Amino acid sequence: MKYLIFAFLLFINEQLFTQQPTSQMMAGNYNKIESLKKVRVIEKLKLDEAKTARYLTLVNQFQDAGLQNDRKRKELMKELEKLVIQDSNANEIQKLVTAIQELENKNYEMRQKYMTDLKEFLTTKQIGEYVVIENQFKNELRKTVREMIRRRD
């Protein structure tokens, strides 16, 4: 499985670094990585068809909401950068900082709800395995990206 992930990430890396990245390309790569992660979770947790359907529905909803929040956060950060560069008044800056913090809190709350919803159909052991799988996946992805950057330089 590690070799499959590594090969997949190499393929993505090739596309990322040989072409000028566009938002469409990056979204496509994000979707490929997320799909790979979903497959890994389903396989490792040995989910049956019903649990797989529930998991996919839940994770897709969670990801969509997270992406919307990320877009809002990026917009707010651009506005904040402009205000800071323009040396705007403190009240305007504080409003944006507060809005960004609220989005971060919302992301945390969404994550908590997501984990609670998983508990409705996964066992405690599966929840633990899920958390471990997710952490391992992130670490492997970081490691692979670092290696690709090192090779590129």
Side-chain angles (χ1 to χ4, degrees):
M1 184 59 133
K2 283 186 179 182
Y3 297 111
L4 176 65
I5 293 170
F6 185 73
F8 179 75
L9 291 174
L10 282 176
F11 171 73
I12 289 172
N13 179 54
E14 184 69 27
Q15 289 184 348
L16 285 174
F17 294 114
T18 59
Q19 300 174 6
Q20 200 62 7
T22 64
S23 60
Q24 189 176 27
M25 280 175 52
M26 293 175 75
N29 289 330
Y30 172 81
N31 290 336
K32 289 176 188 176
I33 291 169
E34 286 301 318
S35 294
L36 185 61
K37 181 177 158 185
K38 290 173 192 173
V39 169
R40 178 183 274 189
V41 167
I42 292 166
E43 287 177 352
K44 293 273 187 174
L45 296 182
K46 299 176 181 144
L47 299 181
D48 61 27
E49 197 171 318
K51 287 183 179 183
T52 296
R54 288 184 74 181
Y55 167 71
L56 291 175
T57 300
L58 185 62
V59 76
N60 289 338
Q61 290 171 349
F62 174 69
Q63 288 173 345
D64 290 345
L67 289 174
Q68 286 177 346
N69 276 358
D70 288 345
R71 281 188 215 109
K72 288 177 189 174
R73 187 179 187 284
K74 286 179 186 176
E75 290 172 12
L76 291 173
M77 287 300 295
K78 285 180 184 178
E79 290 179 45
L80 181 60
E81 287 175 17
K82 288 178 188 175
L83 290 179
V84 169
I85 290 170
Q86 296 170 354
D87 201 24
S88 297
N89 75 43
N91 288 336
E92 291 179 45
I93 293 172
Q94 184 57 48
K95 284 179 188 176
L96 285 176
V97 169
T98 300
I100 291 167
Q101 289 173 328
E102 288 171 357
L103 277 176
E104 290 171 356
N105 289 338
K106 187 176 179 181
N107 278 338
Y108 176 77
E109 290 168 4
M110 285 178 4
R111 175 75 181 172
Q112 295 296 73
K113 182 182 179 331
Y114 172 69
M115 294 303 291
T116 300
D117 291 348
L118 282 176
K119 291 176 185 177
E120 291 178 8
F121 61 93
L122 295 179
T123 66
T124 302
K125 183 176 183 201
Q126 285 176 317
I127 295 289
E129 290 173 336
Y130 173 78
V131 171
V132 169
I133 292 165
E134 196 173 56
N135 188 57
Q136 289 172 342
F137 191 87
K138 287 178 189 175
N139 290 339
E140 286 177 26
L141 185 59
R142 272 191 219 110
K143 181 181 175 186
T144 302
V145 169
R146 271 191 236 118
E147 288 173 7
M148 290 176 185
I149 290 171
R150 219 174 303 144
R151 285 186 200 144
R152 191 182 69 165
D153 291 340

